[in-house]
Amino acid sequence: MSSSGEITTLPQEEPTVSQTTLETTSTKNNSSNTATITTNPDNNGNNKEDGSNNNGGGDNPDQQVKLPGFQDFTQELGTTTTKSQTKEKVNSSGGKDRIRNHFNHLEQLLEQMKKYLTELKTSPEDKRGEELKALEVNLHRLLKSENENAPSTPKNPSRRLSDIRKEILKLNQQLISSLDILSKENSPKSNNLQTSSGSNGRRSAVGELVNVHQSQFFSSCSFYSEIQDIFEGLGDLRKFLLSCFTVFPENAVVKRKIFIYWGLGEGLLNLEAKGGYPEIIVDGILEEFQEKGLIEPAIKKRKQPGHVKSYRMDPLVRYAVTLLSKKAKFFDYDGKGNVLPQRDWTSGLDSKGNPVVDQNVSRPRSERLCLQNIVEPDERKPSTVNGIKRTVSDQDLEKAVTLFNVNEPFPDLELARLTKMKDKNVAQMKEPSAADWLSKMKRAKVVCLGSWPGSAKSHIEVQSGEFLRGLTNMKSLRFLSLQGISRIKELPRSIGLLRSLLILDLKECHNLEILSEEIANLTNLRYLDVSDCYLLADIPKGLGALSKLRVLKGFVISNRQTIRRSGTLDDLKRLRNLRQLTINARSKDFPTGNDLSALQKLGEGELRNLTIVWGPAEPNKAPKSEAKIVEETKSAGTVLIVETLPQQLKKLDLQCFPKSTATWLTPESLPNLEKLYVRGGNLATLGESKWSQVKTLRLKYLNELKTTWIKLQESFPKLEYLEKVKCPGIILCPCDEHGVWMKTI
C-alpha cells in the first residue's frame, strides 16, 4: 500500500477435419509448362481442386490433385448434431470401426502427400521437406494415440472424435498452406502480395500465407467447403458471433465478454435465457466453436475446465469465415480480408477503388461500421453511378446498427473527418464534429468507441466529452462502451435519455471525475462498469433505483460520504437482482460495521460474487465503526454474533488488503464460498479453521502470508485448483512453472 496518495496497482498478470484422401496422377502435356490443379466431383462426390502454378519452365508434368476433405467424415458424425446425438452415434457398435477406418485413410493421405510434394519440389534447396516432416510427426502422433486406445473403448468417445476432428482440421490447414504457396511461389503475381501479421506481432499460423481468400484455389477447396457446411448449419446468433471474430485483427486474443455485450446489444441474445444468465449461452456457443475446431482457447497456463475466458481464431479459418460473413452481409470487407475501413464505407469504394456493392442491391452497405487506424492517404475519386456520387447518405447512417472501434486512437476526430467527407457543405457552414455524425445514427444499438476487452490497450483519446451529446437521438441504444478513453471528465446529463441502455462500459476512463445523477433514469440498465476510474470521487445516490442491475463494477467507498449526493452501500439494498459487485475502497477501515450490515442486506438477494479493491487512503471524515459484535439472548444462553460478509457468497476476490487479519474472513462466516482470490496487500493468515467448500484458491503477490503445502491441504480439503504467484512464504507446493497446481481426477 502507498500512503503518499498515489494510486495502488497490482503487477500486470501474465497473459494468459474428415474423410481424407489424396490422389496424385501425372499426365504429360507437351504444350504446357504449368502444373495445374483441377476440381471435379469424383465418383464419391468429393471435390478436386482447381488452380494453376506457373513453374517458370522445364519439363515438369502437369499435376492433377484431389485435396483432402472431410465432408464424408462430418456427414457421418453429423456436423450440426447435438452432443447427445453425436455421443449416441459414436457409442454404437460401428463407432470404433469408423474411427479406425478414418485413420487408415489418413495413412494413405500421408503417403500420397509425400509423393505430391516430392514431385513439386523444384530444387534441392526447397524447404518443403521440413513442412512434410512436421505433418508426418503430427499424423503419427494421432495414429499412436489411437492405437493405444484400441484395446478398450475410450472413456469419452464423443470427446475423442472431437479431438480427432480438430487435429485433422489442423492437418488440412497445413496442407492447404503448402499447396497454395506451391501454386503461387513462382507466379509473377506473388511478388505483389503483402504479408500479414497479428495485432500482437505474431506471424500468421499458416506460414505467411496472405490473401488466400481471394484465390479460386481456396474458395473451391474442401477445407473451405467444410467451414461453409458448419457455418450454414448454424443459427443466426451463432453465425453472427462467429463473424465477430473477423472484426478483430488476425491472431487477436478476444475475451468472451465482448460477445456477450455485442449479442445483447444487437438484440440477438435473449437477456432472460438460462434464468437470465446470457453468459451461459455464450460460453456454450464458444465451446461448440472450439469443439468444431473453429477457434482455440488463448491460455498460457493450465486452467480449470470451464474457466477459459479468451479465444483466438486461426488465420485460415478466419479467411473462410470472412468470405461467409460477407455473403451473409454481417460485415463488409476490404481486399485484405479485414473489415471495411470507415473511409471505404463512407465513400462507397473498396480498397481498389471499386464500388462496395452493386447499384441494384437494396442495402448498399453493411449496417455495421468499424473504425480503424488508417495511415496511408486516400487519393481515390468518389464512386459515381449514373453521374450521381455514391457517398454515404443520412439514410445510410440512420440504418446503421453498430459503430465499433477496432483500433482508431482518436475516434472523435475521425468521425468529424467522416462528416466532412460525407457532405462538403458542412465545412462551409461550421466545423464538423463527431456529434454531427453520431446524431444521424438514430437506430444505432451498439456504439463502442473505446478499446475492446482483450485488445492491446492502445491509447485512445478525445478532445473532450462534447461528442457525447450526439448520442441523444439514439433511443434504441443498448450497448455503449467508452472503455479506456482519455479526457472524458464527466458524462452529460443527457445520458439519462438513453432509456433502452442495457450495458454502460466506462472501465479505465482515467479522467472521469463525475458520474451524472441522471444515470438513475437508466432503469433498464443491467451492466455498469466504472472500475479503474481512479478520479471518480463517488457514486450518485440514485444508483439504487436501477432495480434491474445485475453487474456493478467500481462502486466507490470513500471518506467523503458525508456529501449529500454520495451513494452508500445502504443505498444499494433495493438492487435485489445484483449478482456481481466490485467495490473500490478508499479507506483502510473498510469494511466497517455499517458496511457489513449493508452487504448482508444486499446478500439476501442474488449477490454471489464480491470483489473488494483497496486503493490509496483518503483523509478520514467519518467516525470509525469496527465490525459489530451483537449479543443475542436465546433460551440456551447468550450467543455472540459477529457481522460478516454475506454468507451466500460463492466467490470472494480481495485485492491490496491493507491489514494483516480480518475478523470477517473466516470459513464459519462464509460457509458457501467456493472460490477465494487474494492478490496483493498485507494479509498474513487465512485462519486455522477448514474452508470446507473452497475448490479454487488464487494467491498472488503476498509477502506476509506464510504456510506450507501440507497446511493448505488441511485448511482446504476440497481444493482442486491452486495458483500461487510471488508468495515467498508459501513453500513446498507442487506447482508448475506458472505457479499452478490442479487436482488429478
Side-chain angles (χ1 to χ4, degrees):
M1 286 295 298
S2 173
S3 59
S4 61
E6 296 180 357
I7 296 171
T8 302
T9 58
L10 291 169
Q12 292 292 323
E13 295 192 50
E14 296 179 1
T16 38
V17 269
S18 67
Q19 175 90 355
T20 53
T21 56
L22 181 63
E23 299 174 356
T24 306
T25 59
S26 298
T27 57
K28 189 71 176 178
N29 188 338
N30 296 326
S31 61
S32 173
N33 293 325
T34 62
T36 60
I37 306 171
T38 61
T39 301
N40 290 299
D42 61 8
N43 295 333
N44 296 323
N46 295 317
N47 288 333
K48 297 179 181 179
E49 308 307 320
D50 272 334
S52 62
N53 177 25
N54 185 354
N55 59 23
D59 296 326
N60 290 342
D62 289 350
Q63 307 289 334
Q64 190 175 48
V65 181
K66 176 175 177 290
L67 288 179
F70 48 105
Q71 289 92 336
D72 293 343
F73 186 57
T74 51
Q75 287 172 7
E76 187 175 349
L77 294 180
T79 301
T80 59
T81 59
T82 63
K83 294 181 182 178
S84 60
Q85 291 172 326
T86 302
K87 186 174 182 180
E88 181 179 354
K89 289 184 178 182
V90 176
N91 284 334
S92 63
S93 59
K96 193 175 180 67
D97 292 336
R98 287 198 296 270
I99 298 176
R100 181 56 57 85
N101 291 337
H102 181 61
F103 275 88
N104 291 336
H105 286 296
L106 280 178
E107 288 179 318
Q108 297 175 12
L109 165 66
L110 181 62
E111 295 302 320
Q112 291 164 351
M113 284 171 56
K114 288 181 181 179
K115 180 179 179 181
Y116 175 68
L117 294 176
T118 300
E119 290 179 354
L120 286 188
K121 287 179 66 174
T122 57
S123 68
E125 292 78 18
D126 197 308
K127 303 296 183 182
R128 209 63 58 201
E130 297 178 4
E131 296 181 8
L132 177 61
K133 183 177 180 180
L135 290 172
E136 186 174 1
V137 169
N138 286 338
L139 184 55
H140 282 306
R141 176 173 53 82
L142 281 173
L143 293 171
K144 180 180 179 181
S145 174
E146 178 59 23
N147 288 331
E148 291 175 351
N149 288 331
S152 60
T153 303
K155 294 181 179 179
N156 191 339
S158 61
R159 177 54 60 95
R160 177 67 188 144
L161 279 179
S162 175
D163 293 341
I164 292 171
R165 214 166 161 274
K166 286 188 286 186
E167 293 290 345
I168 294 173
L169 180 59
K170 291 179 182 178
L171 290 174
N172 254 303
Q173 293 171 352
Q174 296 176 44
L175 182 59
I176 292 293
S177 302
S178 299
L179 295 180
D180 193 70
I181 292 174
L182 283 168
S183 65
K184 293 179 180 179
E185 60 186 359
N186 294 315
S187 171
K189 295 182 179 180
S190 65
N191 297 326
N192 297 325
L193 296 177
Q194 299 178 358
T195 59
S196 173
S197 61
S199 61
N200 53 4
R202 186 171 169 236
R203 299 302 297 179
S204 172
V206 293
E208 298 189 13
L209 188 61
V210 293
N211 297 342
V212 65
H213 60 288
Q214 293 181 326
S215 66
Q216 182 181 0
F217 171 88
F218 182 76
S219 60
S220 62
C221 72
S222 56
F223 173 82
Y224 173 78
S225 298
E226 170 62 13
I227 303 298
Q228 184 179 30
D229 289 343
I230 296 175
F231 188 87
E232 292 177 350
L234 301 175
D236 291 341
L237 173 60
R238 284 166 170 77
K239 286 181 180 179
F240 173 71
L241 294 182
L242 190 62
S243 297
C244 285
F245 274 96
T246 66
V247 171
F248 307 103
E250 183 177 303
N251 287 316
V253 174
V254 188
K255 292 185 177 181
R256 48 79 111 149
K257 182 190 300 183
I258 188 61
F259 301 108
I260 299 171
Y261 288 173
W262 206 338
L264 287 173
E266 294 211 12
L268 298 174
L269 187 58
N270 189 346
L271 189 62
E272 304 302 329
K274 292 291 182 180
Y277 284 89
E279 295 87 351
I280 297 178
I281 300 293
V282 173
D283 284 341
I285 293 174
L286 294 176
E287 184 179 348
E288 289 177 23
F289 291 167
Q290 183 183 345
E291 290 179 353
K292 294 178 185 297
L294 300 173
I295 61 176
E296 59 183 2
I299 53 177
K300 291 191 175 181
K301 57 186 176 184
R302 289 190 294 170
K303 291 282 188 180
Q304 286 178 289
H307 285 68
V308 177
K309 305 300 181 184
S310 300
Y311 296 86
R312 63 161 54 93
M313 178 177 281
D314 185 274
L316 200 58
V317 178
R318 183 175 179 269
Y319 285 138
V321 176
T322 293
L323 294 177
L324 297 166
S325 176
K326 184 176 182 179
K327 292 179 181 178
K329 299 186 181 296
F330 286 120
F331 299 96
D332 291 325
Y333 299 88
D334 62 13
K336 298 178 182 179
N338 299 315
V339 286
L340 198 68
Q342 60 273 15
R343 72 177 184 194
D344 298 341
W345 192 89
T346 304
S347 68
L349 300 173
D350 61 18
S351 58
K352 297 181 179 180
N354 300 318
V356 174
V357 294
D358 188 85
Q359 60 176 326
N360 297 320
V361 176
S362 58
R363 188 178 67 183
R365 295 170 177 84
S366 168
E367 296 176 349
R368 299 175 178 92
L369 168 62
C370 297
L371 298 180
Q372 300 181 65
N373 185 17
I374 304 175
V375 294
E376 63 269 19
D378 185 8
E379 299 177 352
R380 297 165 300 169
K381 297 180 180 180
S383 173
T384 58
V385 176
N386 297 327
I388 302 176
K389 186 170 64 173
R390 289 290 298 262
T391 58
V392 67
S393 65
D394 289 348
Q395 289 74 23
D396 292 318
L397 289 180
E398 288 183 6
K399 293 178 182 178
V401 298
T402 290
L403 176 61
F404 190 89
N405 187 6
V406 178
N407 57 5
E408 171 55 51
F410 306 104
D412 61 333
L413 295 181
E414 182 61 23
L415 289 176
R417 190 185 72 83
L418 293 180
T419 303
K420 186 175 182 179
M421 179 179 175
K422 180 180 76 72
D423 190 349
K424 300 291 184 180
N425 295 326
V426 173
Q428 300 176 6
M429 297 181 293
K430 61 176 182 179
E431 184 65 26
S433 68
D436 295 324
W437 181 277
L438 294 172
S439 63
K440 300 293 177 55
M441 298 180 63
K442 298 179 181 180
R443 301 181 187 177
K445 296 181 179 180
V446 174
V447 174
C448 297
L449 296 178
S451 56
W452 38 271
S455 64
K457 302 298 180 185
S458 56
H459 183 71
I460 300 179
E461 182 178 318
V462 294
Q463 288 184 315
S464 69
E466 181 65 20
F467 75 97
L468 293 173
R469 63 180 176 84
L471 302 175
T472 306
N473 293 335
M474 298 184 182
K475 306 302 181 183
S476 300
L477 189 63
R478 294 160 60 93
F479 173 26
L480 173 62
S481 176
L482 306 174
Q483 181 179 142
I485 300 182
S486 299
R487 304 185 72 174
I488 298 179
K489 294 185 177 181
E490 63 179 307
L491 294 184
R493 300 184 64 179
S494 59
I495 193 72
L497 299 176
L498 305 179
R499 303 297 177 86
S500 298
L501 203 62
L502 301 176
I503 304 152
L504 179 57
D505 184 4
L506 303 173
K507 182 179 181 179
E508 297 176 348
C509 290
H510 298 315
N511 299 110
L512 185 65
E513 300 176 1
I514 300 175
L515 200 60
S516 173
E517 294 183 3
E518 278 68 26
I519 197 174
N521 295 327
L522 304 179
T523 54
N524 282 309
L525 203 63
R526 263 67 166 192
Y527 300 81
L528 174 59
D529 192 346
V530 288
S531 57
D532 298 331
C533 297
Y534 301 118
L535 298 183
L536 189 62
D538 51 32
I539 299 294
K541 203 173 187 65
L543 201 64
L546 305 181
S547 59
K548 297 180 181 180
L549 201 62
R550 298 178 180 176
V551 176
L552 173 56
K553 296 183 179 181
F555 188 86
V556 178
I557 299 292
S558 70
N559 291 324
R560 306 177 184 179
Q561 300 201 341
T562 54
I563 303 176
R564 182 176 299 177
R565 71 176 296 275
S566 298
T568 65
L569 283 175
D570 195 55
D571 296 322
L572 303 183
K573 60 186 177 183
R574 289 181 290 172
L575 305 184
R576 311 303 297 173
N577 294 306
L578 193 64
R579 300 167 178 171
Q580 183 175 349
L581 174 63
T582 299
I583 297 173
N584 293 334
R586 309 284 175 79
S587 170
K588 293 191 298 183
D589 298 321
F590 181 85
T592 65
N594 292 334
D595 296 326
L596 291 170
S597 179
L599 285 172
Q600 281 280 10
K601 295 177 183 178
L602 191 57
E604 293 173 358
E606 296 290 328
L607 186 64
R608 296 296 180 269
N609 295 351
L610 176 62
T611 299
I612 306 176
V613 183
W614 282 265
E618 295 177 344
N620 193 2
K621 296 182 180 181
K624 290 185 179 181
S625 175
E626 300 294 341
K628 298 178 182 178
I629 299 179
V630 182
E631 290 189 0
E632 182 177 295
T633 302
K634 295 185 177 180
S635 58
T638 301
V639 180
L640 293 181
I641 301 176
V642 181
E643 288 188 342
T644 66
L645 296 174
Q647 294 188 356
Q648 295 86 351
L649 289 181
K650 297 288 187 180
K651 175 183 175 182
L652 177 61
D653 186 352
L654 307 176
Q655 302 178 24
C656 300
F657 181 59
K659 299 181 180 181
S660 60
T661 60
T663 58
W664 41 266
L665 186 60
T666 63
E668 294 79 11
S669 61
L670 297 166
N672 298 301
L673 198 67
E674 297 178 355
K675 299 178 182 179
L676 176 59
Y677 304 168
V678 185
R679 294 194 292 162
N682 301 318
L683 188 67
T685 179
L686 294 173
E688 299 297 330
S689 302
K690 291 185 178 181
W691 297 82
S692 59
Q693 299 300 321
V694 173
K695 299 178 181 179
T696 302
L697 179 63
R698 291 180 175 172
L699 306 172
K700 299 184 179 182
Y701 320 116
L702 300 173
N703 293 322
E704 305 300 325
L705 185 61
K706 294 178 175 57
T707 187
T708 65
W709 173 238
I710 295 178
K711 290 182 178 180
L712 277 178
Q713 287 181 302
E714 293 175 350
S715 298
F716 299 88
K718 291 188 178 181
L719 192 63
E720 297 178 358
Y721 181 92
L722 169 66
E723 187 173 351
K724 180 184 71 71
V725 178
K726 295 186 178 180
C727 299
I730 305 177
I731 60 175
L732 304 178
C733 294
C735 299
D736 62 14
E737 66 274 15
H738 301 294
V740 172
W741 169 87
M742 290 180 61
K743 182 178 180 180
T744 303
I745 301 176

